[in-house]
Structure formats: C-alpha cells, structure tokens
Amino acid sequence: MTSQAISASDEVELETISAVLPAGSTVHAWIKASHGVVPGRLTAHVDGNTAGVVETSNPHEFEFRLLTLERVGDTVFSYDPATTEVSVLYAFLQPRVLEEGIRLLHVRPANAAPAVPGGYHFRPPFGWMNDPNGFGRFGGRLHLFYQHYPHSLRWNNMHWGHAVSQDYLRWTHLPIFLPPSDELAARADGRGGAFSGSAIALPGDEAGLRIFFTEHMKDREPEEQVQFTATSRDLVNVDPADLILPARPAGLGLTRDFRDPYVFSGPDGKWKMLLGTRDREGGVILLYETDDPAAASGWTFLGTLHRENRFGMTAAECPCMVPLDGPASDPSTRWALIFGLLTSRDPVTGRRNMTLATIGRFDGQRFLIEFEQELDFGTDAYAFQAFVDEGGPVGIAWLANWTDISREIDMPTAMTLPRRLALQSGALITPPVSGIESLRQHQLDAGGFLDGRTVDLVNGSVEILLTLGQAGNAFRLDLEHPGATVAVQLNKDGLSIPFSVANTKAAPRYIAAGARPSTIRIFLDAGSIEVFADDGRWTGTKRLPGFDGVSAVRLTAPERNIIAAEIWQLGL
C-alpha cells in the first residue's frame, strides 16, 4: 500500500491510500469529520472509476463505514485531511477471511501497533487491547476475542477484536467483531461499551458460536452493567444482540459491578454462567443456569458460588471455571475456579490486582473447595480465561496489570503465552502449551554462561532453560534492559522476579514464597518476561516497560547449583 498527497483539479490536497484489491473485497473504514461544518468523506476509485463513497458528520469519534468493491483493479482511497480523519482501513474477502485474515491498508500513527521485530506474543494489529474474551475452538479453529479500542493505544469505549489460530501461537487477524452500542460508538469519552465475556458453540450440527458479554454504560440508571448474548453463524459477523440479564440479583447488597459472563457446561449438562461482583465485604462470584439447550434465554440465579473477603472490598472479575482431571460429568472431577480481584493488595508483598485459582469439586450448584493458590506470582497475567480443548484445559491472559494503566499515556500490550492447566502432586500447574518448541529457531552459544559470563541475546526474544543440581539451589539471573532493573532469583525465601523502574516508588515484591523448583524455563520477549518453574507449578509473568528486548543475561550461582543451561532464539 502507499499513502501520498495528490492535487485534484480543484487544487484540494488529497491524501490517498493505494492497493490492488480483488473483486468482491469488503472494506471496513473508520472515519471522522475534522469539524462539524463539512462532512468527513472517503472515496474509493478502482482503475480511475468511482467505486464508492462513505461520509460522516461526527467530529467526536470515528464511525464505522462499509464498502464493497465489485471490480478487481488498482484501488485508490482518497480524502481531504482538512475535513476528514481516517483511523483504520482494511480489506478482506468474506469467503476466505478465516484463512487469509484482513489486509491492513491504513492506520494512523496514534493507533499503530509498535514494531516488535521477532516478537512472538499475540498483539492486536492496531489500537488498545486488554482482557481475552470468548477463547475457544469453533469450526475447527482456535478463536481469540479481546477487549479492544481501535483508535488509540489507550483504553476507551470497548469493542471486541478477533483472531484465529491453528496452534495457539501463530494468529490471523480478523475484522473487528463486536462494536459498542450505537449510542456509545458515537462518543469517545470512555463511558463503556462491549465489556468482557465468553463464547460457546451453537448446538447440534449448527455452525457458528454464541457470545455473552457485559454492556457497560457509565451513570446509566438503574444498572450500569447488564448482560447480552448474540450469535455468529459464519464465525466472522455477529447478529444483533439480545438482553438476557437486565439487573443484578436483589437483596444481596451488591455494588454496581456485575460483569464478565463466563458460560460453560456443568456436571448436570446444563449451561452455567458465572458473573463477577462485590459487596461491602469482598469479591463475589454469582452462579446462574438455564435449561435452554441453546443458552439463549431462561437464565435463573442460583446463588453465590464463591466469595473472597481477605482483601477488603475488591471486585471479583473475569471468572472462569474448567474441569481439570476428568470429564465434567464425573462427580470426582476437580474443577478450577479462577478469577481476578480488582484493587486487591497483598499486604506482605505490595502486589496489586491478584488472580486466584481455587480448586475443588462442583456439582452444578455448589463448589466445595479443597485448596487454593495464586495463579501467577508476577500478577501480570490478568483476566485469565480458559476452556477445555481436545487435549485438556487451556487458558490465556492479558499480559499487564491495571496498576500500570493511565488514560494519559499510550500503552500497547500483549497476551501471555497460552497455558495448559492440570493437577500435579496436589497443585495446579500452568505450563505453556505443547508445541511452544516450534518457536525455537536456533540455539545460542551459551559458552561461559554457567561460569558467570555475560551472554548477548540479539533482539531479546529467547527461551532460557536452567536445570538445578538439587531442588531449591540458589541462583540469580540478571537481565540487561534499558527501562528497568530486572532479574530472576531463587534463594531461601523462594522464587522471585526482582523488578524496579528508576524514579518510581518502591516496586512490589514479586515472589512465590517458599518455592523450591528443580527446573526453570524463562521466556523473554520485547515487553515481557514469563517464568515457568517445575513445569508451571510456579508461574510468574511481568510486563517490562517499552518495547526494547532484554539485551544480555548474566548468571550468578554457587558451583554446581546449575548443572545445565540452554538459550534458544525464538520467533514466529
């Protein structure tokens, strides 16, 4: 594609976006009027002939417009930058979009994705991203939806972005799936939108999926947050949504928090729905069910499934629940209930917005807890969502934490590596998905690494494997990073990610207290570190500032504490 200024016959300086597009291409454009007097206008020409014109009079927010190109040929989109702003422009062929994805034709610098050469974590093609939504396998492909604002790198009114994959690692970007309501879509004031939710397959032999999501509208009375459902027959386009839960349960003293519907099949074969909320004591997870095989209606409130009061009046959000060690129908199967605690603070370490995993048995109405553990000691694996795939449960999370977010600062983010969930030796383990080794491109020369010499890491997209002589052997791995002081350390206190940024207040202590692993697997990428100890028995994820990778590493350990080490260059 090209973008340039040309002079039309009336001497208006036009910006152009050029591409060769096949006949039948669908084009999605988001445009805004530069001021309210003259409409914003985008014109498409194919081989010099007008192929379509879209307009908007909205000077406040970019509005979605659709074009269909009937002819193949040299396509030029033109607009007057004095009257029109174009945020995003992409094209695709509807019959092949699941295989080929979208072709991005234009994006402004304000919402362009950062250049991350060699990066292997999932990132959106443009705009802001947070929670994963609707994570699952539909039509033979893995689908990942996500909280999305297309028009800047800051949170605003929420859309759902969309991508598909065959292997959890290599993703194809699809058209934006779910916009905010028309009322919110016309504004740019961050009042709400299509908040987080989940997806299930349509019943029987029907192709497609059904999504569930929270619509949030700030200051709406009597409910800011209500629950909707909608279907997609082709896995790309969504039908109009229907309201299914217009109000919180009465009489429980709940705050206005009432969000993030997670729908799954229970032990009794009925569809269940979890919703997060809070009261004056702490976080609360609500349980609903329906007898409707399509899960389209008939949702009734069963009661409170779980509550967490230890951290004060914190909202439980983004709940999910999956069977771990057997089929859902088996009463002996243990289930993992996972949820984030917004505004929580650990008084010992100072970590914020923690995610807890509670393990027990679930009969469809009651959840009997056997044990619980923290999902990620680095806390930057937030809004974790899982589903049961062909080989067992798999989850993914937003690689960030709300403590880092500012509405005044651009902050592009990523998703974590997808992770398996399983029970092992009385604990929940969350190792990276099988096949992650396919990212390995070549092994780096780690000569001298075990002797404490510094090893250069090229672009910083690497995997480091350490084998300890005995469980709990002490070591420290210092990472050279331009924006932070960061390391991985194991000592008598446990496994930790020492982390600090200059000129900021004291950082929390990111530690798995008492951990004594035998193997450490570390994934570095621009903007992140993920640590998996003993096959994910202890997992720590930390977002790193900026998009420069770790440039070098140096290992410090007593002799024979580390008996083997490997460093692999990674890439897609």
Side-chain angles (χ1 to χ4, degrees), residues 42-57:
L42 179 73
T43 303
H45 291 84
V46 178
D47 292 336
N49 299 310
T50 300
V53 180
V54 292
E55 293 186 344
T56 180
S57 297

Side-chain angles (χ1 to χ4, degrees), residues 7 22-23 56 96 106 119 131 162 296 321 345 354 368 390 392 483 521 542 553 559:
S7 179
T56 180
R96 303 208 297 262
H106 170 81
D131 307 355
H162 189 193
M321 196 170 192
R345 181 183 184 277
M354 294 173 293
L368 302 178
E390 297 157 351
R521 197 175 184 186
K542 189 74 192 76
V553 293
E559 187 176 359

Side-chain angles (χ1 to χ4, degrees), residues 215-226 256:
E215 182 190 75
H216 176 91
M217 187 178 295
K218 186 178 180 181
D219 298 328
R220 177 172 56 190
E221 296 293 345
E223 299 288 346
E224 287 189 348
Q225 299 182 350
V226 295
R256 288 193 167 197

